[in-house]
Amino acid sequence: MAGDYFAGPRPRIFGHRGAAGVAPENTLASFQRALDDGAEILELDVHATRDGEVVVIHDPTVDRTTDGHGAVRDLTLADLGRLDAGHAFLRDGGFPFRGSGIRVPTLAEVIDEFPTVPLNVEIKQREPEIEAVVAALVARRGAMKRVML
């Protein structure tokens, strides 16, 4: 299925935070794994950085999913780029993604990396509001028909 969020057969298979059980959630690696495993739609979460970049991460802080600490909205995109988003992922008693270069992606990167995949984007950040920023980004990327906010 390509493109339109509402097109396609039912039921739909969503990759929730990608393939969060087998790869670090809300990362390009997790989204690719979900698609490889048969997902048709990717579900993801967004917050904005201090410098206004929309990034794909579930929590308001980076503490649970990376090797960093602090609120996403207090960090810059450059700050996030230095974090290891595979650091905390535990599987089979080990940390198979630590140091593998996985990072917190921007929403623009996800849209561009998966140009035909419908996306279910959950805006998690409440303050400051980012709905208009997210909608404008989706429109600039020409992804309005394949993104549900």
Side-chain angles (χ1 to χ4, degrees):
M1 181 185 70
D4 192 332
Y5 185 91
F6 293 102
R10 304 289 192 279
R12 294 302 211 10
I13 301 171
F14 282 69
H16 184 252
R17 299 184 203 164
V22 294
E25 68 179 57
N26 277 323
T27 64
L28 296 179
S30 187
F31 297 136
Q32 186 59 61
R33 176 63 188 263
L35 295 170
D36 292 345
D37 287 350
E40 302 162 325
I41 297 173
L42 296 175
E43 185 276 340
L44 54 99
D45 310 286
V46 296
H47 286 269
T49 62
R50 185 176 76 215
D51 50 350
E53 294 293 331
V54 178
V55 293
V56 180
I57 188 167
H58 178 272
D59 300 353
T61 71
V62 297
D63 299 42
R64 181 179 64 86
T65 57
T66 76
D67 59 343
H69 300 286
V72 174
R73 70 182 184 188
D74 293 337
L75 301 170
T76 66
L77 184 60
D79 294 334
L80 287 179
R82 289 187 284 276
L83 301 180
D84 180 354
H87 183 82
F89 184 82
L90 177 64
R91 184 167 180 201
D92 300 326
F95 298 93
F97 293 95
R98 266 190 191 172
S100 64
I102 295 177
R103 60 187 179 73
V104 176
T106 65
L107 179 57
E109 287 174 312
V110 173
I111 290 170
D112 294 349
E113 182 73 18
F114 306 104
T116 62
V117 177
L119 304 173
N120 190 90
V121 178
E122 186 172 344
I123 299 170
K124 290 290 191 178
Q125 183 170 315
R126 294 179 187 262
E127 295 291 330
E129 292 180 358
I130 62 169
E131 289 83 357
V133 172
V134 174
L137 186 154
V138 171
R140 279 194 313 276
R141 286 290 200 266
M144 294 292 281
K145 284 191 172 189
R146 65 184 182 96
V147 173
M148 172 72 74
L149 299 178

